[in-house]
Amino acid sequence: MWALRILTGPQAGHLVNLKPGKNLVGRGANCDVRIPSHGVSKEHGEIHVYKDKIVVVDLKSSNGTYLNGVRIQNGLVRLGDKVSVHDIIFDIIPADVVPIRPTSPQHTGESSIVVAIPNVGSAAQQYYPQGSYQQPAPQMMGHVTPNIPTPDPLTTELPDGLFQRILFQLKDYVERVALPGVYRLPQLTEFKYVLGAFIGIFILAVTLLSMIPMVQITRSSIMAESQRRAKSLARNVAMTNQTLLLQGNFSSLNTHSVETEDGVKQVMIVQQSDGMILAPASRAGTTPNIPFVHSARREMKAQVAKIDSQSIGASFPIGQYDPATGEPSVKAHAVVIYDVGSLAFDDGQVLSLFFQTLIIACIIGLLLFFFMYKLIEYPINILNQQLDVALREKKDSTEVAFQFPALQSLIGNVNSLLTRYIHGENDQNRSLQVVSRDAEAENLIQLMGYPTIAINAEKRIIAANKNFEQVAHVSDGQLVGQPLTSLADMALQQNLAHLIQKSQENPALIHSDQLEFSGHNCQIHCQAMGVENDSIAYFVISVTPTEEAGGE
């Protein structure tokens, strides 16, 4: 049995059992392997599981099917190959294999477990050394290739909803038009200069954009302060001259004290009835040609208004209470024309503020550049160091503990290449050797007249004869491929483990122990087989009555 393991996307880590024959892969509800991704066609491809091979077929999908980064119409899959449909990557593993992620990146190199996968001919079987067969984290393994095209908006089905479609088309435009130009930059100059240029653009843009609201806020504050000051000066003129005006002593009206204030352009006292200027004396008898003055005469209360971009007008009524009407009687208006520019920043102050902000942003940007560059450089250096060690010491495992899917995908491919580089040239011979050793052990125990079992170096049961099945009260189908700990008889299990340990220490001898079966004492004999270069292929263990037992 075989299973499809999804390595990337929302379903990363999911296993889907494959049935013999055709397995339909796609987005449609009728598919055997359903992948709900917009870039995957409704019927994207097929996986054909045969007795001696597994074949992937593309059904003329929009975004194609890739085998190890190469677009295919059909292709033969081997253990360790990565298949991708659009942006979803998966591989095919034996359904009864439970991948174990090593706790350490160091490869033990003590022994190997052979896992065969169908291929063209029995001589091309693949295997993974112990510890190199890893359970990937979500989006950890996959292939990285520049040949995978981005989705074509003319052939790819767009998502539902206007907002989602706009986002999809924007993302597609960025990936097809903008990003290729960005990817070209590190080819023209060193990467750190490209990163520094982006940081510099960011600093300059943020500094300029931060000046706009700051200037707007400053101008609003200056305008409010100018209005308050102009209104206060107009009230001061009105209060100072109110008594003289009510007495009709127009010649004594005085505005000189306010005219000398900073920012004051004009000060005047305008008569309510005809709009003639009563003070200052130099302008007495004339009519001001200022629209604000005429609008102020129509109001019986103080007001402030903007005349132009640089001037503010403020008026304050001068009068007394009229007992006949019960309302104040306005005789004149004190008017002040105030220059807003007297409180505003000049160009030098604005430029100084800009450079101060730019210097602070540059300091923060340099720190940001340093940490970003080191964050990018660190995993590459670590991976490079591990590659040097792996090539020098013939190890096939690297690991960088960064939660970055693209990096983990690269590490997965690097580990696959290391495995093929170190072990690939001997795959055929080793697979045939292990297969022949298993067959040898199975044939050997069938020749034994006593209960006999064969166990490999990893303490997994290779085969057991009928007599042993009766002793252990299990069937052959329940034993083969299972670990030694699957034996229900704990005493038998412990005795076998003890004998295997003694045989590993001294494989040249036959080691024996005693055990009681159904009230009869029996001897258990263990012999190491296939001893070569301090490695043992398997152990043959037989059970005999005591009266026929052989010594060690």
Side-chain angles (χ1 to χ4, degrees):
M1 291 296 294
W2 301 97
L4 181 148
R5 178 176 58 179
I6 299 177
L7 302 174
T8 63
Q11 297 176 297
H14 288 196
L15 292 175
V16 181
N17 289 328
L18 299 176
K19 62 184 181 182
K22 183 178 72 173
N23 296 264
L24 185 61
V25 179
R27 184 163 45 86
N30 61 321
C31 294
D32 301 300
V33 181
R34 188 169 181 270
I35 303 177
S37 175
H38 293 297
V40 177
S41 301
K42 291 182 179 179
E43 293 185 355
H44 198 102
E46 295 175 347
I47 299 176
H48 295 265
V49 179
Y50 299 103
K51 197 171 184 179
D52 60 343
K53 62 184 176 181
I54 297 178
V55 178
V56 174
V57 179
D58 182 73
L59 299 179
K60 297 181 180 180
S61 59
S62 300
N63 295 317
T65 301
Y66 295 82
L67 179 61
N68 294 324
V70 179
R71 188 163 185 168
I72 60 169
Q73 288 301 317
N74 57 76
L76 199 64
V77 181
R78 299 182 179 185
L79 192 63
D81 288 346
K82 305 296 183 299
V83 182
S84 61
V85 290
H86 183 47
D87 58 346
I88 304 300
I89 303 171
F90 59 84
D91 59 3
I92 297 174
I93 61 174
D96 56 347
V97 172
V98 180
I100 302 176
R101 182 178 177 84
T103 57
S104 170
Q106 301 297 327
H107 177 53
T108 61
E110 294 178 355
S111 57
S112 62
I113 298 177
V114 174
V115 180
I117 185 170
N119 197 354
V120 179
S122 61
Q125 295 175 338
Q126 304 292 316
Y127 77 99
Y128 272 121
Q130 183 179 16
S132 67
Y133 198 85
Q134 302 181 16
Q135 171 74 23
Q139 301 186 2
M140 173 180 172
M141 299 181 64
H143 64 78
V144 178
T145 172
N147 296 325
I148 297 180
T150 55
D152 187 351
L154 298 179
T155 58
T156 303
E157 295 185 20
L158 296 177
D160 298 331
L162 178 60
F163 181 69
Q164 287 81 1
R165 292 190 178 190
I166 293 175
L167 287 180
F168 179 84
Q169 292 177 348
L170 179 62
K171 179 182 176 182
D172 179 73
Y173 175 82
V174 170
E175 290 179 348
R176 290 188 299 106
V177 180
L179 288 181
V182 175
Y183 298 149
R184 178 69 176 166
L185 294 177
Q187 301 175 21
L188 302 176
T189 185
E190 195 173 343
F191 175 76
K192 65 180 180 181
Y193 298 131
V194 177
L195 183 60
F198 279 109
I199 295 293
I201 294 172
F202 171 78
I203 291 172
L204 187 61
V206 169
T207 303
L208 288 173
L209 293 175
S210 65
M211 292 297 294
I212 296 174
M214 186 163 54
V215 169
Q216 293 293 336
I217 293 172
T218 303
R219 285 180 176 175
S220 299
S221 300
I222 290 173
M223 183 63 69
E225 177 61 21
S226 298
Q227 291 177 350
R228 187 196 64 78
R229 182 167 173 76
K231 188 175 181 180
S232 177
L233 291 174
R235 182 188 298 108
N236 188 25
V237 172
M239 295 297 103
T240 303
N241 294 280
Q242 182 174 9
T243 303
L244 297 174
L245 183 64
L246 296 177
Q247 292 175 355
N249 189 3
F250 298 152
S251 61
S252 299
L253 298 176
N254 182 18
T255 60
H256 179 71
S257 61
V258 175
E259 288 175 344
T260 57
E261 294 286 341
D262 291 337
V264 176
K265 289 184 175 182
Q266 297 183 43
V267 180
M268 65 189 78
I269 298 176
V270 180
Q271 193 167 350
Q272 169 66 19
S273 59
D274 54 9
M276 299 292 291
I277 297 177
L278 301 178
S282 60
R283 300 179 61 187
T286 62
T287 302
N289 188 22
I290 301 175
F292 171 75
V293 175
H294 301 298
S295 64
R297 289 175 51 224
R298 293 191 292 268
E299 297 291 335
M300 296 296 120
K301 58 183 180 180
Q303 62 173 332
V304 180
K306 184 178 179 181
I307 298 176
D308 54 42
S309 61
Q310 295 296 323
S311 301
I312 289 176
S315 68
F316 199 89
I318 306 174
Q320 62 181 354
Y321 180 73
D322 187 354
T325 61
E327 296 179 354
S329 175
V330 178
K331 302 296 182 182
H333 294 269
V335 179
V336 174
I337 308 300
Y338 191 81
D339 183 11
V340 179
S342 62
L343 296 178
F345 285 155
D346 57 23
D347 293 340
Q349 290 175 312
V350 174
L351 191 62
S352 175
L353 181 62
F354 170 78
F355 280 110
Q356 291 177 27
T357 307
L358 182 61
I359 291 172
I360 295 174
C362 286
I363 295 173
I364 298 175
L366 287 174
L367 291 174
L368 181 64
F369 168 78
F370 174 79
F371 286 110
M372 286 184 64
Y373 187 78
K374 289 298 180 182
L375 188 64
I376 296 171
E377 184 184 47
Y378 175 78
I380 298 176
N381 288 338
I382 293 297
L383 181 59
N384 189 42
Q385 293 172 8
Q386 292 189 16
L387 278 174
D388 289 341
V389 174
L391 293 174
R392 186 169 59 250
E393 301 180 4
K394 298 297 183 180
K395 296 180 179 179
D396 57 2
S397 179
T398 60
E399 183 175 0
V400 179
F402 265 50
Q403 297 185 19
F404 184 30
L407 178 63
Q408 295 300 336
S409 177
L410 172 63
I411 292 172
N413 281 334
V414 168
N415 290 340
S416 296
L417 289 174
L418 285 174
T419 301
R420 295 182 183 184
Y421 168 73
I422 296 172
H423 305 285
E425 58 187 12
N426 297 321
D427 280 352
Q428 177 177 341
N429 294 334
R430 292 193 181 186
S431 296
L432 290 176
Q433 177 185 3
V434 173
V435 171
S436 62
R437 285 294 187 184
D438 291 353
E440 174 187 277
E442 185 175 358
N443 294 333
L444 181 61
I445 66 170
Q446 298 302 329
L447 297 175
M448 304 294 291
Y450 297 110
T452 309
I453 186 173
I455 301 174
N456 65 13
E458 286 76 36
K459 296 184 179 180
R460 287 188 176 272
I461 299 172
I462 300 175
N465 61 14
K466 296 295 184 181
N467 293 330
F468 188 88
E469 292 173 20
Q470 295 175 1
V471 171
H473 303 290
V474 291
S475 65
D476 179 64
Q478 294 175 322
L479 287 177
V480 175
Q482 299 299 315
L484 181 60
T485 55
S486 64
L487 291 174
D489 190 333
M490 295 299 298
L492 176 62
Q493 180 187 137
Q494 293 175 2
N495 275 267
L496 295 183
H498 175 67
L499 289 174
I500 289 174
Q501 182 179 356
K502 292 175 65 176
S503 294
Q504 288 175 332
E505 295 172 357
N506 193 348
L509 299 178
I510 297 176
H511 299 274
S512 302
D513 202 350
Q514 289 190 358
L515 186 66
E516 182 178 319
F517 285 98
S518 302
H520 301 283
N521 290 327
C522 297
Q523 280 202 335
I524 305 176
H525 307 281
C526 179
Q527 171 67 61
M529 306 294 291
V531 181
E532 183 179 355
N533 297 328
D534 297 329
S535 66
I536 300 172
Y538 59 93
F539 303 90
V540 174
I541 303 173
S542 64
V543 180
T544 60
T546 53
E547 56 270 17
E548 299 181 13
E552 183 174 329

